[in-house]
Amino acid sequence: MKRVAILISGGGSNMLALVRDMAGDHPARPVLVGSNDPGAGGLAKAEALGIPTAALDHRAYASRAAFEADLADRIDAARPDILCLAGFMRILTPGFIRRYQGRMLNIHPSLLPKYPGLQTHARALAAGDTAAGCTVHEVTADLDAGPILGQARVPVLPGDTEDSLAARVLGMEHRLYPAVLRRFAAGDRTPVLLS
Ligand code: GRF
């Protein structure tokens, strides 16, 4: 049984989707939910499900490296095989990434390599794209550019706003990320493609 740690910064809807799927014949189980924000709503949801949590306020640290050192200690104490970033909004240093590269996944709300970084939905709308979506990729030192493990497409509809498009993409994230984690935990890196 693979052990999965999940890092969040906010409401944790992707974390919930992953946790709910890790049941029955799923080859993995959640062992920790961590956050850089003690106020992240997802922490209470994880606690309610009996999952150990670790909340470290990144603002309380003198440096990014000091925060990441404590975070890595808390992660390693849970002995995870896989680390899932799910709405985790901190940029990680190459040193942290090196500790987990090859077993660290992230979900990004665009069809990478289009729109790495922030404001992905506003950029897709501004470009007049007719399709948008989300990507699960391995985390490497290049931001939002690691090997792709899954993608899901949604249509951009006339009259879409940033919020309506974000909601449509988020719903697809909740399908894509669990499907990718199931496959990845079984040792299969064949990309999952949904639409
Ligand atoms: C969402 O914008 C999602 O697209 C991205 O992270 C944000 C928060 O997601 N992956 P969550 O509800 O905290 O999982």
Side-chain angles (χ1 to χ4, degrees):
M1 190 65 77
K2 297 286 191 232
R3 299 167 61 87
V4 175
I6 305 170
L7 297 186
I8 65 171
S9 295
S13 70
N14 274 292
M15 175 274 294
L16 273 185
L18 292 172
V19 166
R20 289 194 176 119
D21 193 53
M22 281 189 266
D25 64 352
H26 191 300
R29 289 296 183 275
V31 294
L32 180 74
V33 171
S35 182
N36 64 294
D37 179 354
L43 289 168
K45 296 170 189 170
E47 284 158 13
L49 292 168
I51 302 168
T53 60
L56 290 81
D57 186 342
H58 69 271
R59 292 159 300 194
Y61 289 82
S63 71
R64 190 179 292 273
F67 163 71
E68 289 184 353
D70 269 7
L71 180 61
D73 286 349
R74 300 292 295 275
I75 290 168
D76 293 345
R79 294 182 288 107
D81 301 294
I82 300 169
L83 184 54
C84 289
L85 307 183
F88 187 67
M89 302 306 280
R90 299 295 295 165
I91 292 187
L92 297 163
T93 64
F96 184 95
I97 291 170
R98 263 194 300 278
R99 288 177 80 138
Y100 303 104
Q101 187 152 346
R103 58 192 176 111
M104 179 159 55
L105 310 181
N106 180 46
I107 188 156
H108 178 78
S110 81
L111 294 172
L112 291 173
K114 288 184 84 169
Y115 313 129
L118 300 174
Q119 300 300 321
T120 61
H121 306 306
R123 291 152 72 190
L125 291 171
D129 292 352
T130 55
C134 48
T135 304
V136 177
H137 62 93
E138 281 190 51
V139 176
T140 64
D142 301 331
L143 183 68
D144 299 333
I148 289 176
L149 294 169
Q151 275 200 329
R153 299 169 74 87
V154 300
V156 177
L157 300 174
D160 258 336
T161 62
E162 199 176 335
D163 287 348
S164 62
L165 181 54
R168 190 172 309 121
V169 171
L170 192 60
M172 196 56 110
E173 290 180 38
H174 298 160
R175 291 177 49 201
L176 178 68
Y177 213 169
V180 171
L181 179 59
R182 263 182 191 264
R183 196 173 279 190
F184 190 84
D188 181 353
R189 290 171 185 236
T190 312
V192 175
L193 301 177
L194 302 177
S195 62

